[in-house]
Amino acid sequence: MENKKSITHVLENMDKNTLYKQKSSFVWSLSLIVLGVVSFSIYTSFDWKTSDALPHFLFILGSVFLIIGVLMFFFRKDHYYSAVSGQKLKLTQIYFQPGEQNKLVNLMAESRIDEVKNLKTSVSDGLKLSVMATPDGNICLSQVIAYLGSEYVNITDVKNHSQAEAVMLASIKSK
């Protein structure tokens, strides 16, 4: 089976006038780091009785805030935004029963999106339709992915949808 490019790979190689990638904000992580430093400064600035529980609580709280803040800063997620509208692309995955694979692949290839809602859905199974789109539907990409032999495999190439098709895919997601 040939290797198909993922939606993320296609987004990475899109024109920068259409789409751009940005890391999530560092404000939350910076706030947690500041809270940790403030907690440590309060802990060290007062003379505490050895029987007090508050200094131990401040020390633990400061440590937790610092560790989480630093981890959040270095492991921020990448998000994709439309360069035209500034809207963030959201990934949605719709799960189907594995027996529906051929039907799903054919319907997506023939752009018969309105018939996809008639397929048997599942809560979490070996077949999914990944859709990444802006809320207005100007940018909408989809791909059929199946769980084969202990890993997810891209079954179809990434398909770019029109705004009307994006609206139909959104109605399937909300079903």
Side-chain angles (χ1 to χ4, degrees), residues 36 38-40 42-43 48 53-63:
V38 167
S39 177
F40 277 128
I42 292 172
Y43 170 74
W48 302 95
L54 184 61
H56 301 295
F57 176 73
L58 286 173
F59 183 79
I60 292 171
L61 191 67
S63 300

Side-chain angles (χ1 to χ4, degrees), residues 134-168:
T134 56
D136 64 2
N138 283 336
I139 299 175
C140 182
L141 304 170
S142 71
Q143 184 173 36
V144 177
I145 301 170
Y147 190 75
L148 303 173
S150 75
E151 69 179 349
Y152 280 103
V153 177
N154 300 328
I155 301 298
T156 62
D157 288 322
V158 176
K159 184 167 176 70
N160 198 353
H161 296 282
S162 67
Q163 194 167 8
E165 291 174 333
V167 170
M168 285 187 257

Side-chain angles (χ1 to χ4, degrees), residues 2-145:
E2 65 186 72
N3 287 336
K4 309 261 186 209
K5 294 179 182 174
S6 67
I7 290 178
T8 307
H9 187 267
V10 171
L11 290 173
E12 291 281 336
N13 295 315
M14 271 186 135
D15 182 27
K16 300 301 178 204
N17 295 327
T18 307
L19 192 77
Y20 65 93
K21 181 170 90 170
Q22 185 176 8
K23 286 200 175 286
S24 59
S25 176
F26 63 89
V27 172
W28 280 108
S29 59
L30 189 61
S31 299
L32 287 174
I33 292 170
V34 167
L35 283 172
V37 169
V38 167
S39 177
F40 277 128
S41 65
I42 292 172
Y43 170 74
T44 58
S45 64
F46 293 105
D47 289 330
W48 302 95
K49 293 180 185 176
T50 55
S51 62
D52 285 344
L54 184 61
H56 301 295
F57 176 73
L58 286 173
F59 183 79
I60 292 171
L61 191 67
S63 300
V64 168
F65 282 161
L66 275 175
I67 290 169
I68 292 174
V70 168
L71 289 175
M72 282 177 61
F73 180 78
F74 286 110
F75 295 106
R76 292 180 291 157
K77 288 185 177 183
D78 291 330
H79 298 284
Y80 295 95
Y81 294 89
S82 168
V84 177
S85 65
Q87 293 182 328
K88 182 172 146 181
L89 274 78
K90 182 181 176 191
L91 176 66
T92 305
Q93 296 179 343
I94 308 164
Y95 292 94
F96 296 93
Q97 293 183 0
E100 302 286 341
Q101 180 175 336
N102 291 335
K103 292 178 192 174
L104 181 61
V105 169
N106 290 335
L107 291 174
M108 294 305 290
E110 297 169 3
S111 296
R112 296 184 349 217
I113 308 297
D114 55 330
E115 296 179 31
V116 173
K117 62 185 170 193
N118 298 330
L119 297 177
K120 296 175 187 170
T121 58
S122 178
V123 175
S124 177
D125 235 330
L127 181 65
K128 64 183 173 180
L129 176 64
S130 290
V131 180
M132 190 163 236
T134 56
D136 64 2
N138 283 336
I139 299 175
C140 182
L141 304 170
S142 71
Q143 184 173 36
V144 177
I145 301 170

